[in-house]
């Protein structure tokens, strides 16, 4: 944003990014009741993979990309880049924890969540280290790498489905399927009640 639009526009970009994120989250909330959680990963991952790879190509362009070092608030690439990063950062975290909570029961969570956070810190360190090398690696390459990482996440979710199946056990003995909506949860007591009423 500082290179393409100008650093003085960052407060305005922060404010607008809140509005953009709200729109994106609203679309996510509309999808979460209609498609399965793995499918949400595929939709979000593929969408942002295309966005980041496209932005990477645009940033490599001599006129509209990073080689043009003249800041201009009319350079759309700077705004879109900023909004894409901000919205993905909010949406990816929410989607990951929604998927994790639906896949891990209470007992496994006690031993797994600490490990998840530890790996998240390793990822943050690795990502920050790459960002410090933006001058040599080029920002456009980092965006393409970010798009590729979205596809890797989709592949990992697909691998998880293949290895462990779609059934997840929730706290209290309730069972749910990752392919169902959040409302499709049934506990042993509710199943007994439904059989008794029928």
């Amino acid at each position: 944003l500082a290179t393409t639009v100008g650093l003085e526009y960052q407060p305005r970009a922060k404010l607008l990014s809140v509005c953009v994120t709200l729109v994106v989250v609203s679309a996510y909330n509309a999808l979460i009741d209609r498609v399965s959680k793995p499918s949400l990963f595929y939709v979000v991952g593929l969408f942002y993979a295309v966005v980041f790879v496209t932005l990477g190509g645009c940033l490599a362009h001599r006129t509209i990309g990073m080689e043009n070092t003249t800041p201009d608030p009319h350079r759309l690439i700077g705004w879109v880049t900023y909004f894409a990063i901000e919205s993905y950062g909010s949406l990816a975290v929410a989607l990951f924890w929604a998927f994790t909570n639906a896949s891990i029961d209470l007992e496994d969570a006690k031993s797994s969540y600490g490990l998840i956070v530890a790996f998240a810190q390793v990822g943050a360190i690795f990502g920050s280290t790459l960002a410090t090398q933006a001058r040599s690696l080029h920002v456009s390459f980092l965006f393409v790498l970010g798009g590729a990482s979205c596809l890797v996440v989709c592949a990992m979710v697909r691998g998880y489905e293949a290895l462990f199946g779609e059934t997840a056990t929730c706290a209290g003995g309730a069972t749910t399927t990752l392919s169902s909506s959040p409302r499709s949860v049934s506990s042993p007591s509710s199943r007994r009640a439904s059989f008794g009423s029928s």
Side-chain angles (χ1 to χ4, degrees):
L1 185 72
T3 303
T4 56
V5 177
L7 190 60
E8 64 271 19
Y9 288 92
Q10 187 172 11
R12 185 180 301 180
K14 279 283 187 184
L15 180 62
L16 291 174
S17 71
V18 174
C19 300
V20 173
T21 302
L22 283 175
V23 172
V24 173
V25 171
S26 298
Y28 166 79
N29 288 335
L31 284 174
I32 200 170
D33 288 333
R34 292 176 172 84
V35 299
S36 66
K37 289 183 178 65
S39 296
L40 267 179
F41 259 108
Y42 305 146
V43 171
V44 173
L46 290 174
F47 174 77
Y48 278 98
V50 172
V51 169
F52 286 140
V53 170
T54 302
L55 288 175
C58 292
L59 289 171
H61 194 274
R62 290 185 176 181
T63 304
I64 65 174
M66 298 296 293
E67 289 190 29
N68 182 358
T69 57
T70 304
D72 187 345
H74 295 96
R75 292 177 67 180
L76 190 61
I77 184 67
W79 297 101
V80 174
T81 299
Y82 189 84
F83 296 151
I85 294 173
E86 290 288 317
S87 61
Y88 180 74
S90 301
L91 195 61
V93 173
L95 181 57
F96 171 78
W97 285 114
F99 181 82
T100 303
N101 291 335
S103 307
I104 301 178
D105 62 17
L106 183 60
E107 292 303 318
D108 289 335
K110 293 178 181 178
S111 58
S112 301
Y113 277 20
L115 189 62
I116 291 173
V117 173
F119 274 103
Q121 294 301 317
V122 172
I125 294 171
F126 179 72
S128 301
T129 303
L130 281 179
T132 60
Q133 305 301 315
R135 186 176 297 274
S136 58
L137 293 175
H138 301 294
V139 174
S140 58
F141 171 75
L142 293 180
F143 268 84
V144 173
L145 191 63
S149 69
C150 294
L151 297 178
V152 171
V153 170
C154 292
M156 292 173 66
V157 172
R158 181 57 185 160
Y160 181 88
E161 282 189 283
L163 286 174
F164 301 104
E166 295 185 345
T167 302
T169 304
C170 302
T175 59
T176 183
T177 57
L178 297 179
S179 59
S180 63
S181 68
R183 297 189 181 92
S184 302
V185 179
S186 60
S187 65
S189 58
S190 64
R191 286 196 296 272
R192 286 194 298 269
S194 62
F195 283 125
S197 62
S198 60

